[in-house]
Structure formats: C-alpha cells, structure tokens
Amino acid sequence: MTKPLNLGMIGYGFMGRAHTNGYKRVADFFPELEYRPVLKAACARNQEKVQAFADQWGYESTETDWRELLKRDDIDAVDICVPNNLHKEIAIAAAEAGKMILCEKPIAMDTAEGEEMCQAVEKAGVANTVWYNYRRVPAVTLAKNLIDEGKLGRIFHYRANFLQDWTISEDLPQGGAALWRLDAAAAGSGVTGDLLAHCIDTAIWLNGKVDNVTAMTETFIKERVHTETGEKQQVGIDDACAFLCRFSNGSLGLFESTRYARGHKALYTFEINGEHASIKWDLHDLHRLEYFDHRDEGKLRGWRSIHVTDNGGEHPYMDKWWVPGLQIGYEHSFVHHVADFLKSLETGTPCGPTFRDALETQKICDAVLGSAKSGSWEQVG
Amino acid sequence: MTKPLNLGMIGYGFMGRAHTNGYKRVADFFPELEYRPVLKAACARNQEKVQAFADQWGYESTETDWRELLKRDDIDAVDICVPNNLHKEIAIAAAEAGKMILCEKPIAMDTAEGEEMCQAVEKAGVANTVWYNYRRVPAVTLAKNLIDEGKLGRIFHYRANFLQDWTISEDLPQGGAALWRLDAAAAGSGVTGDLLAHCIDTAIWLNGKVDNVTAMTETFIKERVHTETGEKQQVGIDDACAFLCRFSNGSLGLFESTRYARGHKALYTFEINGEHASIKWDLHDLHRLEYFDHRDEGKLRGWRSIHVTDNGGEHPYMDKWWVPGLQIGYEHSFVHHVADFLKSLETGTPCGPTFRDALETQKICDAVLGSAKSGSWEQVG
Amino acid sequence: MTKPLNLGMIGYGFMGRAHTNGYKRVADFFPELEYRPVLKAACARNQEKVQAFADQWGYESTETDWRELLKRDDIDAVDICVPNNLHKEIAIAAAEAGKMILCEKPIAMDTAEGEEMCQAVEKAGVANTVWYNYRRVPAVTLAKNLIDEGKLGRIFHYRANFLQDWTISEDLPQGGAALWRLDAAAAGSGVTGDLLAHCIDTAIWLNGKVDNVTAMTETFIKERVHTETGEKQQVGIDDACAFLCRFSNGSLGLFESTRYARGHKALYTFEINGEHASIKWDLHDLHRLEYFDHRDEGKLRGWRSIHVTDNGGEHPYMDKWWVPGLQIGYEHSFVHHVADFLKSLETGTPCGPTFRDALETQKICDAVLGSAKSGSWEQVG
Amino acid sequence: MTKPLNLGMIGYGFMGRAHTNGYKRVADFFPELEYRPVLKAACARNQEKVQAFADQWGYESTETDWRELLKRDDIDAVDICVPNNLHKEIAIAAAEAGKMILCEKPIAMDTAEGEEMCQAVEKAGVANTVWYNYRRVPAVTLAKNLIDEGKLGRIFHYRANFLQDWTISEDLPQGGAALWRLDAAAAGSGVTGDLLAHCIDTAIWLNGKVDNVTAMTETFIKERVHTETGEKQQVGIDDACAFLCRFSNGSLGLFESTRYARGHKALYTFEINGEHASIKWDLHDLHRLEYFDHRDEGKLRGWRSIHVTDNGGEHPYMDKWWVPGLQIGYEHSFVHHVADFLKSLETGTPCGPTFRDALETQKICDAVLGSAKSGSWEQVG
C-alpha cells in the first residue's frame, strides 16, 4: 500500500529539472518506500514556459502564482527552486499553509531571513529539507560513515575548494532567468552562497561547528551588461572567495571558491586529515573516494582509490543501482535525497539538512562575507 | 504529436532493469523525439517474479509465454533479455510476427545461429538492434567522431581489456537465474561472449574489420556446483580469454578478458595508437577520454584528460543532461541507445549495431574460441 | 681549460649531503661549464662526525670552527648548511672574508637578520645564492617559461600547499642535530620557514610580489621532550600555517603548510589559474606538469599531463640527462642549481634567488607570522 | 679498508653513460661496501670519441681495441656496452682472460650465442651479470618481495607492455652509432630484444618460467635509408611484437611492445593479478607501486598508490637516498645494480640476472620470434 506525496514545483530551471528527475526515478530504485511522489503541479510566472516544462516532465497541472499553488488542497509539499531572494516569502507562506517544504540552497539571502524561515517551519511543524545534495553522493556519505566510526581519529585539517571557470569572459552579461546567479539582487552573493555554501554544508556535517573565519573576496570583472536593462552595471557579487577558519574540534579549515579557475568546470573537492587516516573527494570523479590509512602495513601504505560502486553491498545507496564497477552520476544524489526525505516521512525523523541545519551554513557565509568587508576575523553567528 | 512505441520486455534480470530504465527516461531528456516508449508487457516464465518486476517498473501487463506476447497486437517491439541460448528462437519468431527487435548481446550462441537471425529480420524487414551499449557512452562516441575526422591518422595499434574479479572463489556455483553466465549451456561461452564481445563490437566500430586471430582460453576453476542439480559439474566456460589479431587496415590488435583480475570490477579499457594521435578510455571512469596529440607544441605535449561533460555542447549526448562538469553514469548509455533507436524509426535508417553488425562480432568470437582450441591462427568468418 | 671552485661545506646533515651530491655530479652532466667544484673542506663542531662525512663524500680536509675555514686561502666559496639561527653570523663573516656564499634557506631567522646579510654580501660584492632548489625542477622551470611567454594571460589565482605528516606522534622529541627544525630557538619558526618559504619563493618567482596577508598558525602538540635537556618543554614552532594573500598583479593567493596531513610525505603542490591557461605541479610526481589550455579545440580540452623528460630537447635541463620518458628525481634540482651558479660565475650575472631575492620571501614569512599573532591583515615588508 | 674494482668500459653510448654514473655514485650512497669501482679504462674503436668520453667521465685511460683492454692486468672487470652482435666474442674472450663481466642486455643475438657465453663464464668461474636494470627500481624490487612473501597468493594473470613512439617517421634512418637498434645486423631483432626482453626478464623473476608462446610481429615501415650506405634498405627488425604465453605456474601472460604507440616514450608497465592481491607498475612513474588487497575491509578496498620513497625504511634501497616523499629516478636502478654486484663479490653469491638467468629471457625471445614466423605456438627452450 503506497501513499502519494503530491508535489508542487516552483521554478523550472536547472534545479527544477534535477529535482523532478529525482521524484520520477525514486520509486523505480527504492520500491520499498511507502510514499510515492506525484507531480501535481509546476508553478512559474511565465505560463508558456511553465507549461512546456510541465509537458516535458509530466506535471499534471500548472500555476503562474505560487500563492495559488499554496491554496490547493491537493498539494502536500512544495519544492522551492527559484532565485534566492524569493525563498523567504514563499517558504514562510508555505509553512503557514501547512505544506512540507524542500527548498533549494542556500536557504536565504542572509541569516536573518533564514532565521525567520526556520521559525516558520518549526512553528508549523512541517517537514522540511534543503537541497545540499552532495551529502548524498555515495562517496561523500561513505566519508561521513568513516568519520562517525572513528576511522580518522582526531581531525587536524579540513580543506575544500569549489572551482569553476564559466564567467571569465567579460562579455558575459548578468541577471535574468539564466544568469541570476551573477546578479547580487537575486542571488545575495556570488560564489559564497552558490558554491562555498555546498563546501560549508558538507564540512559542518563531517567536521562539526566552525567558530570563526577570516576571508577575502574579489570581483575580477567590475561591470557587466544586465540582461534586463541592457546597460552596463556594477557587478555586486563576489567572483571569488577564500577563507580560513577554526572548527570547534580544534581543526583548521581552508576554503576557496571561484568562477575564474580555468580548466575546472565543477571541481568541488575536499580533504580531511586525521590522526590515523585521511580522506579526499572530488566532484569531477564523484564515484571515487581516496583514503589513506596509516595503520596499514608500513611498506604498503598508500592512498587507496575506492571505486564506490558497491563492493558487496557496503557502499551507501549503491545496492539500489547496478552492479559493482558501474558508476552512477551527478543526478543520483537528488534521487537519494528524495528517497531519504520520503523515508523520513515514514519514520517521523527529520531529513537533514533541515532549515535549521542549513541556517548554520548561512551563518558561516555571513561571517565570511562580513570578514571580507571588515578585514578582521569574525565569529560565526 | 508523439507516437507510442509499445514494448514487450522478455526477461527481468539486470539487463531487463537497465533497458527499462532507458525506456522510462528517454522522453524526459530527449523530448524532441517523435516516438515514446510505452511499457506494455513484461514476460517471463515465473509469474510471481515477472509480476513483481512489472509492478516495480510500471509494465501494464505480464505474460509467462513469449509466444503469447508475440501474438499480441498491442506490441510493436520486443526486447530480448534472456540467456543467450534462447535468443535465436525468440528473435526469429518475433521477426516472423513482424515485431521490431532489441536484442541483448551477444546476438547468439554462435555464428550459425546469428546468421539465421539476421536472415529472419532482414526478410521480415523489421527494425532491429543489439544492445552493445558502450558505443553510446559519450566518451566512446567522441572517440568514434575523432577517428572519423581523421584526427589519429593511420592506426597502428588497438588494445582492449575487460577485467573483472567476481568468480575467483571456488565456492561460487554455476547456473540458474543469477549465474547462467557461468553455465556453458545457457551462455555458450564465458568471458568471450560476455565481455570480449563488448570489446570487439567497439573495436570493429572504431577500427574496422578483423582478418585473423590467435587465442588462448583458460578455465581456472574446473568444477563448480550447479545451482539446479546441486552437484559438482565440470565448468564449460572460459574464465579468461586473450587473443592477438590483425585488422584489415594493417593495425595490430590485442584483447584480453578475465573474471580473475583481482581489483577490477568492470574495467573495460581500450587504447588506440595512431600516427598523429592516440586515445584511451576506461569504463571505471567512463566520463573521461584520454587524448594525446603529437601535433601539440613540443614542450606542451601530454595526455589530455578530457572530462566529457559538455564543453560548449561539443560532447555527444551531453547537451541533454546537466551542465559542464557534472558527470553521468553507466545507465545513460542505454538511454542514448533507446533515443537513437527511436530516432532511427523517424528517419528510417538502421540503428547500429544491427543484427548484421553484431554478427561480425560473433564471427570474431567464434574464430577466437576456435583458435583457442586449434592452437592455430584462424581466419574470421 | 677548466677552473676549480674550491668549496667549504659548513654542516653535514641532509642538506649537506644533497648539496655535496650536486657539486660532485655537475661536471659529468654539464661538461661545458668552465668552473669545476672542488670539495676542499667540510666543517662542523663535532670532529668525529665531520671526518666521517668528509670520508664518505670525499672532502679533502675538515675544520671544526667555521672561523678557521673562512681564514683559509684555498676556499673560494662556502656553503652554509647549519640551522637557521647560525646563518647570519657565518654569512656576514664569510662576506667580509670575500668568500662566495651558497646559503641554505630560509635566509635567516627574520627580515632584520636577512637585511644585514644582504648588505654584507652586497658590500663585499661576493657571488651569493640561496638554496630554494625547487625553482630548478625541470617542470617548475617549464612553468616559469610558460608564464614568461604569456601562455597563461592575466593571472587570477595562485594556490600552494606543502603537506607532511611526520610529527603527528606526541612521542617525537624536539631539538638536537636531527630535530632542530622542531626547536624554535634553532629554526625560528616551524612550517612557515621550513616549508611555506619554499612555496613563497616559487610563488614570487612565478607570480610576482605579494602585498598583504592574513594568516593563522597552530601548534597541535603543545609540549615535547627536548633532546638536549630530556625535559618536556613548550613547543615554540608552528605545526601548521595557512594564509590568504593578494599579489600586486591583482591575483589572489592561498597557501597552507602542515606536518599533520596524514598520508603526505612531501606534497608540495601549486596551481596557477590564468585567463587562457592553468598549470599544476606536485612534488610527489615532480617530473610531470599539468597544463590546461582553453585555446584547445573545444571538444578536446583537457588537463594535459606533460611528462617533463625532454620532448625533443624542449624541456629545461633535460637534454643533460637520459632519453625521453626516463625521469629524474629530487636530487637533480641541486645539480641544476650548482650548474646555474657556476654558469653565473662565467657570465657575471647573479644566480637567483640571491640573498636579496630570498629576503623578499623572508618578509612575507614575517608578515604571515605577524598576522597569525595580530589577527589582522598585514602589509608585506 | 676498501678494495678497488678496476673497470674497463667497452662502449660509450647511452648505456656507457648510465653504467658509468652507477660506478661513480655507488660509494657515496653505499659507503659500507668493501669494493670501490675505479674507472681504469674506456675502450672504443674511435680514439677521438672514446677520449672525449673518458675525459668527461673521468676514465684514467683509453683503448681502441678491446683485445688490448683484456690483456691489461690492471683491469678486473669489463662492462660490455656495444651493439648486440659484438657481445659474444668479447664476453668469451673476457671470460678466458679471467675478467669479471657486466654485459648489457639482451645477452646475445640468439640462444645459441648466449649458451656459448654462459659456458665460457661458468668455465672461467668469473663473476657475471646482465644489465636488466629494472629489477632494481625500488618499486619493482618491492613487488618481488610482496610476491615472495605470498601476498598475492596463486597468480592468474601477468601482463606487460613496453610502448614507445620514436620511430613513427619514415624519414628516420637505420644503422650507425646512434641508430644501430634499428639495424637487424647489429641488433638481431627490434623491440623483441630491446624492449620485450626487459618485460620478460622481470616477468620470469617475478612469476617464474614460461612454457610456450604464440606471437605476432610487424614492421610498419618497410624500408629506411641506412646511415652507412646512404641507401634505402629493407628494414629487418620488428617494429612491434606481441605474444600470449602460459607460465609454468598456470598463469596466463600477455606481452606487447612497439615503437609506434604515439604518446608513450618509455611506458614499461606490468600488472599481476593474484588470488588475494594485485600489483601494477609503470616506468613513467617508476617511484610508485599500485597495490590492491582483497583482504582489506570491504567498503575500503581500493588500489593503493604506494609512493615508494622509504616509509620508515621498509622500501628497498630507499634508506640510502633522501627522506620519505622525495623520489629518485631512472639512473638509480643502475647504482643499485652496481651496489648489488659489489656486494656479491663480498659474499661470493651470484648477482642476478647472471648470464645463465639472462639466457632464459633469450630463449623466450627466440620462441617469440620463431612463433611470429611459424604462426604456431612454440615451446620455450
């Protein structure tokens, strides 16, 4: 006896596609789950575009006003896939309407907004989660398991990068549907909220709280044509951001993100050095985890490249897919997130990162941007 | 105006799942296609199991006798996903029933069977294709494009391996639904038909005809319990096979496959050395293509690791998926194959490898197995 | 007609061996050089140990007081391979004695000492160089050439790490001949002067001046037994250090070093991202340079792994060694440094990094250590 | 009290340099050895060239007739570094003159010649060794140790390649001092004796005897100008050679070599698959050994990249060099060979591969070349 989970999708961009694919595939690969996503409605201001999206992906209906969507009784949950400056208003209204919420990251424009959102979902008691999807790449989940088992021992170092190269040309404009991430009014920040937020979410999940930070940001191209005005306007976002930090467990952190690292498309990497063992991961080869264990016999110590594709059923999520040796890709992290969200509805436990978890990342982002302005170390939130 | 393509799936094993996933996802990612697969019926002898499969994947009905399936007017195409010894009979009957056929590889138990099958589909004039899915891994398709453009120049060497390690334990039994690949009666051969056939299909697609071969095979574990009899029986398959060959274009070939290569789960690799450039590929990192071009500036020559994840729309199939830097996985090769098959129905051109193309691979497999027995070089076909 | 260069080596530790090997091999591989090193004298306080060193390596004589060495007429040049706290006094006296000086890095305990040393050699007009040997790893020299040719265009990012793991055990003592690098009194600082100084020297050579920095340091093990007293004493050095910086050319820098990165023995890596191309290098595979060029044909763009082992004579220094494909190792960087020093005597041009060049690195180290204490951004020197 | 080992070097080419460097460096890094090589005489037909060589490398005298060299009482050992067709005559005369012999590989033009040479050294009772230097790359020696410890268990597969790309241009001539390896009259064979012989020597050292082989060879460029005649002449050597074989221990072998593999300069690789563990090595990164152990915890299994640069003194030969993490290069394998030869004089045990060991490789080469001609499997020896 399966139960439907009626979904309303708000937005139809890249993330709208990625999430929708997650909803559509989950039952094929996680047939044991009680809840089944139903694509009830897609919502966006542009009727023509949202209809095309609904047609392609199989949404049963469309809306052009998210307020109307929230009024519908046949919607159990909404997925917020719109630019960051719209998250707060929609999320609070959705919570008040009693809808579950799956919100794209970063949770909000800043900590204050995020705090309001957290209070709204907590008050309403609705299930909520934020799409920091990389937690559910099997190799990353395996890293989490290893740390929780104590394989690494005391942690000394955490370093993470998220390197891209798609905005190097000064002819690239800013703003509009495709390029809102370059427009500070819509995105709040540049790489900090877009890319470093991913690195931070993973880091606090794996390594705990961050106490304080010192940061620098840079905007290499100072002016770009705005797609809506056709005029050259000042660029308000950070093209690059790097920060040092101290974690509460005494380890040191180093984070960097940029869209000006020629040769890297989506190179999210992290490395953790512990007393006994170390771990490395890289989004460009997301199906592998690098692992070094000092307890190995001396002459045979070396970094192991673990092909995280099952190995006798011991690799997270991988028993759901193919056979050992056959890799999955980027999109599967979303399928896993959907599966875990559905499972959380069965068990009544939260599906992390919740809004409250994601607020912690937002606080670090704010401290980072604050430090970049102040030139001083900043305490986190 | 889309048109349905009503499918009947015969079999429900690993390949049944992989193909079904291809049918279910193609419209989401290739919305421009005219034909849409409809999962009409799943067919297998065991009613309980085929029903469970149909329920999980969404087949509308089930059959327990493939002859009944072939009689149904609401079936346009059948997908043959059963052990190799059943391909011929089903395929010929399906052709006679006017059904299109998508047949799992290798096409048959031997060349003679394959020839009969080719004649049947050609006589019936039905669309047909064989699931050598690796042709449609984007990096492999890119390799094909590079060769066709002449980037490599004259070819000197082709080498390919397919290495696994899952049958090393002598406690592993043979035969039955899960292990028919170890049973010579069902599979015809061991690694030759299962793994080398993939290497050969890619090779003749990329590098043309093979003239002659010299081969050796080995069965390391001589007896295994058969799951159906519970008795120890002689193992009839080849656990490992290697061969040397000469291609018609004058290049030399080296092929090897085994299920006794500890540390490799599905390590299908090939390398091609040409006068001007060379190419390498590896299934364990299927989203990459290694490329060396001697025409690069001397001091800057090196193997390039191409992350085949778009690059401005120039990587085959990748404009259908996510954004540059985000990799796809194993299963996508089947989605691409489905897409190309559907496209071929629109255009009326064959979708390679056709039965006739796949027969060429069968001929080489037969020559390889023949040479392993005779100890002599054998001519192909 | 070759000319002797009579050398006096002060010290006999790891660097004493590495430099001596450089002197002994240079004539075999650079036979065209006018000057030939002659191992005249080795000098160290412990007569027995210095004699053993001299016997093993072929020094003609020994001294136990460097002041005596400096008085000898048969010494043209001295090589200072003693702990950092002794550099200044010896170097100034050597300059006053009119000896050429090859000084181990870092130049001194701090900028003030270094400035005195610079003034001394400049006043005396003696040839001088500091052993930042990594400049002369062929792959690193190639990186320099590529940047000078303009291959990278405008530089956006520079990042470097030097990761080790040899001091994680708290049972490791500090101080004494073998472990003076852990003793703040002898070393001045920990990883900053030992490891980051290498990263900084390469960085300013490749990417120019650094304007300002913000840094953090950490001492993970707070007390260690001192080998000379046998008592537990506070550890005065930095076990780890990381800093952010801005280069004068507008690019951003990220540097990190530690001796607590489990799994890395001497992982000095750097990466430079330019407008058109990027470069990566790694001491653990020092014979390779990774290079990405955005001007490559779109579908064929990828990181090239350049095996810097000749390629038709276009790789720096490599025409002196074996044949293409055959790698050299760590010690060769010292042979190259000796060769360049000898060449500089012929041509009368300085052999970088000179004392003055090395002072720039010292200034950055001081700013880094200062920032780690002050918690503020610090201007460089 | 050290003892001199007075050496006479016959030849001055690439190998003459590599061996000489070995003699000159051994005492610096292996000071405990009793014997010290003394470069007494270099010998070659061309007086001017041999004098230049002697001057550069420090040989005390020269000879232009190897017969004169053999008459000298001040010569203890001769090193034969001349083309293959001259090995036999010199070696037999040297043995008769009571000289120790270090002979470049392959031992001879064919098995018959090699057998005569073996008998001569055995009759004379002189120390002898053949320069298959790759046995003494530390990572390869480590592989040997692992196998001898039983880490791999039963061996199933051995595969090796030696790929180069330097003869692709048809404008390259054959013959003469620099290119005698392309001249069948001087070299006996092409890649078989030059490159595959290395692969075979390692293979039989690691994996034991080879029983039989089936092979193919190819000469891609049929005619080249001969440097001595200035005329186009037929090319007598094999440009490429591949063979399959069966080892006496039941494992299967696959070997390939070519000088037409664009992108590879000296890519000697081997891989061994055992029941419990597998090993891979690659000359292009000779300081690493790849190791996979199935006994590792399931979820953490992966290929380990072992940086063979000490690890607490457990890596063969590496305690003699620098510190962990700092790699050595190609030339060090010769220093190790010299050290082991000198040690063998102290202990009175043979230094493998002896002439007799090297004859085994020659027998396999002969069987390979024989099979390539006959088109049949050939028994070894």
Side-chain angles (χ1 to χ4, degrees), chain D residues 101-231:
Chain D
I101 311 175
L102 303 99
C103 185
E104 187 45 37
K105 45 65 53 184
I107 185 171
M109 295 290 274
D110 56 33
T111 302
E113 281 195 7
E115 180 59 44
E116 281 187 73
M117 292 163 72
C118 287
Q119 290 177 9
V121 294
E122 288 163 2
K123 183 173 168 200
V126 294
N128 59 90
T129 197
V130 177
W131 289 98
Y132 283 109
N133 61 300
Y134 295 118
R135 290 190 181 194
R136 288 171 170 98
V137 170
V140 178
T141 313
L142 177 57
K144 171 69 170 164
N145 294 348
L146 296 177
I147 291 168
D148 287 353
E149 281 178 33
K151 279 276 195 299
L152 275 65
R154 179 180 170 191
I155 306 295
F156 295 116
H157 293 285
Y158 193 104
R159 60 189 75 84
N161 285 339
F162 207 134
L163 307 182
Q164 300 186 333
D165 71 354
W166 62 284
T167 65
I168 294 178
S169 166
E170 59 186 21
D171 297 336
L172 189 76
Q174 63 175 313
L179 294 167
W180 64 264
R181 282 180 178 80
L182 303 193
D183 180 357
S189 68
V191 296
T192 302
D194 184 22
L195 306 180
L196 276 178
H198 275 301
C199 302
I200 293 167
D201 175 72
T202 313
I204 59 181
W205 189 51
L206 296 178
N207 198 40
K209 277 181 64 68
V210 168
D211 289 341
N212 50 32
V213 304
T214 184
M216 73 177 164
T217 56
E218 183 61 71
T219 304
F220 290 112
I221 308 284
K222 308 295 187 194
E223 295 189 317
R224 293 183 186 276
V225 170
H226 198 289
T227 58
E228 282 161 0
T229 64
E231 311 266 298

Side-chain angles (χ1 to χ4, degrees), chain A residues 133-286:
Chain A
N133 61 299
Y134 294 117
R135 290 190 181 193
R136 288 170 169 100
V137 170
V140 178
T141 313
L142 177 57
K144 170 70 170 165
N145 295 347
L146 296 177
I147 291 168
D148 287 353
E149 281 178 34
K151 278 276 197 299
L152 275 65
R154 178 181 171 191
I155 306 294
F156 296 116
H157 292 285
Y158 193 105
R159 60 188 76 82
N161 286 339
F162 207 133
L163 308 181
Q164 300 186 332
D165 71 354
W166 61 284
T167 66
I168 294 177
S169 166
E170 58 186 22
D171 297 335
L172 188 75
Q174 62 175 313
L179 294 168
W180 65 264
R181 282 181 178 81
L182 304 192
D183 180 357
S189 68
V191 295
T192 303
D194 185 22
L195 305 179
L196 276 179
H198 275 301
C199 302
I200 294 167
D201 175 71
T202 312
I204 59 181
W205 189 52
L206 296 178
N207 199 38
K209 278 180 66 65
V210 169
D211 290 339
N212 48 33
V213 304
T214 184
M216 74 176 164
T217 56
E218 183 62 70
T219 304
F220 290 112
I221 308 285
K222 308 295 188 195
E223 294 189 319
R224 291 183 186 277
V225 171
H226 198 288
T227 58
E228 282 162 1
T229 64
E231 311 267 297
K232 275 222 169 183
Q233 288 179 212
Q234 203 180 342
V235 174
I237 58 154
D238 42 304
D239 285 341
C241 177
F243 70 93
L244 312 178
C245 69
R246 291 178 183 275
F247 287 86
S248 298
N249 66 5
S251 61
L252 306 183
L254 215 86
F255 292 78
E256 186 189 13
S257 184
T258 180
R259 294 179 183 137
Y260 283 72
R262 187 58 86 193
H264 303 302
K265 291 300 172 196
L267 191 76
Y268 172 19
T269 65
F270 65 78
E271 174 168 346
I272 312 174
N273 302 131
E275 189 182 357
H276 304 305
S278 290
I279 281 175
K280 282 192 285 189
W281 177 77
D282 167 352
L283 178 54
H284 276 198
D285 295 289
L286 63 81

Side-chain angles (χ1 to χ4, degrees), chain C residues 100-140:
Chain C
M100 306 177 198
I101 311 175
L102 303 99
C103 185
E104 186 45 38
K105 48 61 60 186
I107 185 170
M109 296 290 274
D110 56 32
T111 302
E113 282 194 9
E115 179 61 43
E116 280 187 72
M117 293 162 71
C118 287
Q119 289 178 11
V121 295
E122 287 164 2
K123 184 172 167 200
V126 294
N128 59 89
T129 196
V130 177
W131 288 99
Y132 282 109
N133 62 299
Y134 295 117
R135 290 190 181 194
R136 288 170 169 99
V137 170
V140 178

Side-chain angles (χ1 to χ4, degrees), chain B residues 149 299-300 303-305, chain C residues 149 299-300 303-305 315:
Chain B
E149 280 178 34
K299 70 185 168 207
L300 292 174
W303 281 86
R304 302 183 198 177
S305 185
Chain C
E149 281 179 33
K299 70 187 169 207
L300 291 174
W303 281 86
R304 302 183 196 177
S305 185
H315 289 154

